[in-house]
Amino acid sequence: MSVIISGTDNFVLNADSLGTAAAGAFDYDGKVFYATPQGTQRGVVPGAQFFRLNADLVGANVTTAQNTFGVGVTLSSSTVYAFEAVYALSKSAGATSHNLGFGFGGTATVNNILYEAVGGYILSATLSGNIVTDAQYRLGSIANSTANTNVYTAAAAAAISWAYIVRGTVSVNAGGTFIPQYTLSAAPGGAYSTVAGSYFMIYPISTSGANTNVGTWA
């Protein structure tokens, strides 16, 4: 590995094959940064792409997939990523029963994906308080597809807010955009907004096509 010092006082690591891990070492293989804090325990250093809403993003009263944050992230080919997000959605009108589901769109093609969505709802247009549990309540869902997967069925309250923690990994084949989405099975009569403070974080962890093995696994 070589280091280049640029004219702007930045330093750039040239990509190199990973040698033997050594305490204090910092490595870069062309996709992922690594650091070895002790022994040979090399670990991934998250180079995270991050998006956080600073103001509520108003959606639409429709049944088609909606962009959760209004943007997508561009991912590279032949790369495995880990991601984490908090989705908070809220509406104050419209009592038509509907399902809520999550998925991903975009132009990137995916080898495989696995993620979970854990959370629940509050019967209020203001997202603050204890999560409701009832006979229909689902703690969350798990999915191995980018297609829409329901996290809740038959929501019929006019004023309701949702909060979910979403986390998982995705292996990208061809690079392109990767867009967090939510879908309603019926138009409720009022649009949801993605609440300010909601965020999405994603970072590379390995090359695709094999197990991700970083550290002293054996």
Side-chain angles (χ1 to χ4, degrees), residues 12-207:
V12 179
L13 301 180
N14 283 338
D16 203 351
S17 58
L18 300 180
T20 302
F26 191 77
D27 300 287
Y28 173 58
D29 66 357
K31 288 187 179 294
V32 182
F33 294 111
Y34 305 89
T36 306
Q38 57 182 322
T40 58
Q41 297 164 26
R42 177 186 282 132
V44 170
V45 178
Q49 298 190 74
F50 201 104
F51 187 86
R52 176 188 181 274
L53 280 176
N54 189 57
D56 292 359
L57 177 68
V58 180
N61 182 38
V62 297
T63 59
T64 51
Q66 301 192 54
N67 189 324
T68 308
F69 297 94
V71 296
V73 63
T74 298
L75 303 182
S76 298
S77 62
S78 305
T79 304
V80 178
Y81 292 84
F83 59 87
E84 173 189 297
V86 169
Y87 297 170
L89 303 170
S90 180
K91 72 178 182 68
S92 59
T96 300
S97 179
H98 60 280
N99 304 337
L100 171 68
F102 297 147
F104 297 94
T107 60
T109 61
V110 170
N111 297 311
N112 53 71
I113 186 172
L114 182 67
Y115 71 94
E116 63 174 349
V118 179
Y121 69 92
I122 298 168
L123 293 176
S124 170
T126 301
L127 190 64
S128 179
N130 295 323
I131 289 176
V132 172
T133 59
D134 60 26
Q136 295 177 330
Y137 173 73
R138 295 181 180 180
L139 180 62
S141 65
I142 191 163
N144 61 357
S145 168
T146 57
N148 182 69
T149 300
N150 285 339
V151 295
Y152 193 86
T153 58
I160 190 168
S161 298
W162 305 89
Y164 278 88
I165 297 171
V166 180
R167 56 195 175 192
T169 62
V170 58
S171 173
V172 174
N173 179 21
T177 55
F178 187 66
I179 302 172
Q181 297 176 332
Y182 67 92
T183 301
L184 311 176
S185 63
Y192 280 94
S193 292
T194 308
V195 179
S198 299
Y199 74 86
F200 196 93
M201 175 178 67
I202 188 166
Y203 56 92
I205 57 174
S206 71
T207 299

